């Protein structure tokens, strides 16, 4: 793959933003290169994902979020307030072992988002 200036801008934006939707990445890229459009960003993200340079996670019903490949953790998404926390992938090691033993399935927890209620929203419910 040839690293074009547009591809490099997209990759740089993903690194800078940490977790970002294609639209957020496009906004960051357009701050430097206004002629880069959302279609180019989507195509570039797809290519970088297939090459293993970035990864995507679906945190909810909207667009996926992208992060650099080394950025591995489980996302904890509050379905009440939208807060997203991170937990280490090894937290799911017991579940991964069970899936492997029972179903012959290898879990990739780095692409995983768990939906639930964050501690702040739980506190509000208890009051």
């Amino acid at each position: 793959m040839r690293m074009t200036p547009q591809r490099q801008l997209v990759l740089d934006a993903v690194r800078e933003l940490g977790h970002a939707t294609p639209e957020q990445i496009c906004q960051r890229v357009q701050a430097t290169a206004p002629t880069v459009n959302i279609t180019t960003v989507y195509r570039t993200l797809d290519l970088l994902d297939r090459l293993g340079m970035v990864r995507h996670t679906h945190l909810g019903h909207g667009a996926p979020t992208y992060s650099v490949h080394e950025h591995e953790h489980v996302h904890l998404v509050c379905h009440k307030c939208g807060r997203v926390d991170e937990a280490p992938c090894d937290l799911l090691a017991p579940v991964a072992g069970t899936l492997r033993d029972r179903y012959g399935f290898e879990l990739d927890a780095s692409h995983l988002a768990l939906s639930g209620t964050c501690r702040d929203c739980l506190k509000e419910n208890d009051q």
Side-chain angles (χ1 to χ4, degrees):
M1 173 196 78
R2 195 171 122 250
M3 187 57 84
T4 64
Q6 292 88 348
R7 290 175 180 165
Q8 187 63 55
L9 286 170
V10 170
L11 183 57
D12 291 344
V14 172
R15 284 188 178 126
E16 291 166 12
L17 294 169
H19 295 106
T21 64
E23 291 76 16
Q24 292 167 325
I25 294 165
C26 188
Q27 287 177 342
R28 178 62 62 100
V29 168
Q30 287 177 341
T32 305
T35 59
V36 175
N37 63 38
I38 191 69
T39 304
T40 300
V41 171
Y42 270 103
R43 286 184 185 145
T44 301
L45 288 169
D46 181 57
L47 174 64
L48 296 174
D49 195 8
R50 285 187 279 123
L51 292 172
M53 298 175 75
V54 301
R55 62 178 58 240
H56 72 279
T57 304
H58 295 273
L59 298 180
H61 297 295
T65 61
Y66 287 82
S67 60
V68 290
H69 182 72
E70 303 82 28
H71 196 77
E72 292 186 353
H73 51 260
V74 176
H75 298 90
L76 308 174
V77 182
C78 180
H79 54 77
K80 288 190 174 197
C81 71
R83 175 178 166 171
V84 178
D85 289 319
E86 300 171 356
C89 291
D90 63 1
L91 181 72
L92 294 177
V95 172
T98 300
L99 290 171
R100 186 174 30 260
D101 294 345
R102 287 189 192 170
Y103 303 100
F105 182 83
E106 189 70 31
L107 178 66
D108 179 2
S110 63
H111 278 269
L112 190 61
L114 299 174
S115 180
T117 307
C118 71
R119 72 175 57 133
D120 292 340
C121 289
L122 285 172
K123 285 179 188 174
E124 287 178 15
N125 287 343
D126 290 342
Q127 294 176 4

